[in-house]
Amino acid sequence: MNSQPLVVDLDGTLVHTDMLHETSLRVLRDRPWDLLRLSVWLSQGKAVVKRNLAERAQFDPQHLPYNEELLHWLKEQKAAGRTLVLCTASDMAVAEAVASHLGIFDEVMGSDGSRNLGGKVKAEALVTLYGERGFDYVGNSTTDLAVWRHARRAVVVNGSTALAQKAGQLAAVEKIFERRPQGLGVWRRVLRAHQWLKNLLLFVPVMAAHQFSDANLWVALAVAFVSFSLCASSVYIFNDLLDLESDRAHPRKRARPFAAGLVPVWMGLLLGVALLVASCLLARKVGGTFFPWLGFYFVLTCAYSWTLKRLMLVDCLALAMLYTVRIVAGAAAAGLSLSFWLLAFAVFLFLSLAFVKRYAELEVQIMNGKTKVHGRGYYTTDAPLIQTLGVTAGYGAVLVLALYLNSEAVLRLYATPEVMWAAVPVLLFWVSWMWMQAHRGLMHDDPLVFAVKDRASLAAGLAFGVVLALGTVGWSG
């Protein structure tokens, strides 16, 4: 039996995140006014900052992104009779919550509000307790080199090859846990590049007005599309950072890069700001009223991430508005006026899709035996009513389309308006099909992402496009 105590770091080692960053985000989301005191706390020392953030941030240690491979090895060491010590620069309250949840640590050490237990301070504390070379240490960063200098053995976690080599010069390396790869796929998921498909809604006003021949208009829309996509990605990043705990409690969303700890929180903040700045610079080049509408989209999305998504029904209305704003912004970029018919159709259709999204989430929670959706204002018993509201909104969109096809605008744009009536049964089928899939538990968290991968939805989209093309050819011919 190895009698040498095994000391384990927390941030970036036992968990794939940094608890200082995590608690800061939770305070920013739940008590933003407290961050006004940050400069005062900093003047009193880093340990004071950590203590105040830990006191104000509520988190569930059950849902943290633990290093499962390391945790499995630690449990084996514990079963072999080895003493395990959790020693972290995070605040003691955070460390004790994690240790209590895992139930494998014999001792817990952390920052106490006056002493920041990191680097050389941690090394001195461990030498005082266990003596020179009287412990083995599990760490992940260059700050841990100060501790390995006094340890008997080193266990390197999530570190580079260079870090492992430096640790080996200070102590015998017992084991190395390799860093998880960060490929292009991870960054594509961070940006949610697949969600950029939604921004094709910017082109809807041009298509609806049959303005196909103006090259300058299409260039302006292309720039607007890139600008909106960068803005949307920044928003998705900020939303993911503010929604970490809810995502980790979700069976699918917990695999998102920030929730899983694949990408550091600080890196997400920097990337989100950079994308937003680039988006604004491009928006200024588009001209017209596009920039104000982009700003409105950003503000509404932030309001949704901060508060609105926790309000029952208001969240779905906000989602419907976020889709509709894309159409309004497209019209602004193209210098076109929007018709009442297009706006009414968009609001009803997108409200139905927003309800689909919520209904699908409720179905997942039902299958997992839960009664309430984490971070949302719904109970699982609300699912039947959400379904009713969503189907009604979808059929409302079909009704608006049918009334539009009987208007004078159709006679002006289409030479064969009677052909356009075929779009009504196509849309009826698609709305019904989407809700049928949601009812059977087959719906993706995002209905538009589901639609672009679903054969029946693609067929309905093709049929809808053919109907529009036939009517347009007759008009232009």
Side-chain angles (χ1 to χ4, degrees):
M1 182 180 73
N2 190 341
S3 60
Q4 202 84 355
L6 181 60
V7 182
V8 185
D9 182 40
L10 176 63
D11 301 316
T13 304
L14 183 59
V15 293
H16 292 296
T17 188
D18 188 302
M19 294 309 299
L20 175 59
H21 299 159
E22 295 259 342
T23 52
S24 298
L25 280 174
R26 283 177 173 78
V27 173
L28 175 64
R29 182 192 67 191
D30 301 330
R31 303 170 59 129
W33 53 88
D34 280 343
L35 292 182
L36 297 175
R37 307 177 188 177
L38 188 58
S39 60
V40 177
W41 298 341
L42 281 171
S43 67
Q44 298 172 359
K46 199 171 182 178
V48 175
V49 174
K50 293 178 179 179
R51 171 53 54 91
N52 280 285
L53 290 175
E55 288 177 346
R56 289 163 173 77
Q58 300 293 325
F59 79 98
D60 186 352
Q62 176 185 352
H63 295 131
L64 290 176
Y66 291 99
N67 187 326
E68 295 296 340
E69 185 182 2
L70 172 62
L71 190 56
H72 178 73
W73 181 74
L74 291 176
K75 290 178 179 179
E76 290 179 343
Q77 299 299 304
K78 177 69 175 178
R82 198 168 187 184
T83 298
L84 300 185
V85 181
L86 180 61
C87 184
T88 173
S90 288
D91 189 76
M92 191 66 175
V94 173
E96 287 179 336
V98 171
S100 176
H101 167 66
L102 295 177
I104 62 173
F105 291 101
D106 301 287
E107 297 179 42
V108 182
M109 301 170 63
S111 298
D112 57 8
S114 59
R115 180 182 65 167
N116 184 46
L117 198 65
K120 293 182 179 179
V121 176
K122 180 187 288 189
E124 292 171 359
L126 291 174
V127 170
T128 299
L129 282 174
Y130 305 112
E132 191 74 26
R133 306 295 177 184
F135 61 94
D136 298 339
Y137 183 70
V138 185
N140 74 295
S141 69
T142 54
T143 58
D144 294 316
L145 292 173
V147 183
W148 280 319
R149 187 180 300 279
H150 303 278
R152 185 190 65 161
R153 292 180 179 174
V155 177
V156 182
V157 181
N158 294 331
S160 63
T161 302
L163 179 65
Q165 291 174 349
K166 291 179 180 178
Q169 296 170 2
L170 301 172
V173 176
E174 178 178 353
K175 193 173 181 63
I176 296 177
F177 291 88
E178 299 293 341
R179 177 185 295 175
R180 294 181 299 174
Q182 286 186 348
L184 290 177
V186 171
W187 290 106
R188 186 170 61 249
R189 288 161 57 198
V190 167
L191 297 175
R192 305 262 197 102
H194 62 282
Q195 299 281 9
W196 293 357
L197 289 171
K198 297 177 182 178
N199 299 327
L200 292 175
L201 292 170
L202 291 164
F203 295 90
V204 168
V206 174
M207 305 295 288
H210 293 185
Q211 299 291 325
F212 303 113
S213 59
D214 191 338
N216 292 329
L217 186 150
W218 286 99
V219 170
L221 281 175
V223 176
F225 175 83
V226 176
S227 173
F228 221 96
S229 296
L230 294 180
C231 181
S233 288
S234 72
V235 166
Y236 288 133
I237 289 173
F238 295 142
N239 180 70
D240 286 351
L241 293 176
L242 293 174
D243 216 19
L244 286 175
E245 195 166 44
S246 294
D247 284 352
R248 287 168 181 163
H250 194 279
R252 286 194 294 267
K253 293 180 181 180
R254 64 187 179 189
R256 287 176 173 174
F258 294 113
L262 287 167
V263 178
V265 167
W266 67 267
M267 196 175 293
L269 285 172
L270 290 179
L271 179 60
V273 171
L275 291 173
L276 183 59
V277 171
S279 172
C280 291
L281 292 176
L282 287 174
R284 300 293 294 181
K285 293 183 177 298
V286 175
T289 58
F290 174 75
F291 184 72
W293 280 112
L294 180 70
F296 176 75
Y297 167 81
F298 180 77
V299 171
L300 180 58
T301 309
C302 288
Y304 174 80
S305 298
W306 239 288
T307 304
L308 300 184
K309 67 181 178 184
R310 296 176 180 82
L311 303 180
M312 180 180 61
L313 300 180
V314 174
D315 60 334
C316 292
L317 288 169
L319 282 175
M321 290 303 104
L322 287 172
Y323 282 117
T324 306
V325 164
R326 288 174 166 91
I327 295 178
V328 177
L336 298 173
S337 58
L338 280 173
S339 71
F340 163 81
W341 295 109
L342 180 57
L343 283 175
F345 173 77
V347 169
F348 279 107
L349 182 62
F350 295 141
L351 181 59
S352 180
L353 294 179
F355 280 127
V356 166
K357 180 180 175 69
R358 284 292 172 263
Y359 180 80
E361 291 178 350
L362 289 172
E363 286 293 298
V364 170
Q365 301 304 321
I366 291 173
M367 288 188 289
N368 284 275
K370 297 184 178 181
T371 59
K372 194 175 189 304
V373 181
H374 190 282
R376 299 291 186 270
Y378 298 94
Y379 294 92
T380 52
T381 52
D382 295 328
L385 179 58
I386 294 299
Q387 184 181 41
T388 301
L389 294 173
V391 171
T392 303
Y395 284 177
V398 177
L399 178 60
V400 171
L401 175 63
L403 293 174
Y404 166 70
L405 294 177
N406 197 41
S407 69
E408 293 182 1
V410 175
L411 296 177
R412 291 196 305 269
L413 291 173
Y414 301 94
T416 54
E418 61 275 9
V419 175
M420 298 297 298
W421 278 96
V424 173
V426 172
L427 186 61
L428 272 173
F429 165 79
W430 184 68
V431 169
S432 304
W433 174 263
M434 292 289 282
W435 275 103
M436 184 65 74
Q437 300 310 297
H439 179 71
R440 293 182 175 181
L442 302 176
M443 180 59 60
H444 189 277
D445 293 323
D446 192 313
L448 287 186
V449 173
F450 172 86
V452 298
K453 297 179 180 179
D454 175 56
R455 291 183 178 180
S457 296
L458 292 174
L462 178 62
F464 196 88
V466 168
V467 171
L468 294 180
L470 289 176
T472 303
V473 167
W475 168 74
S476 61

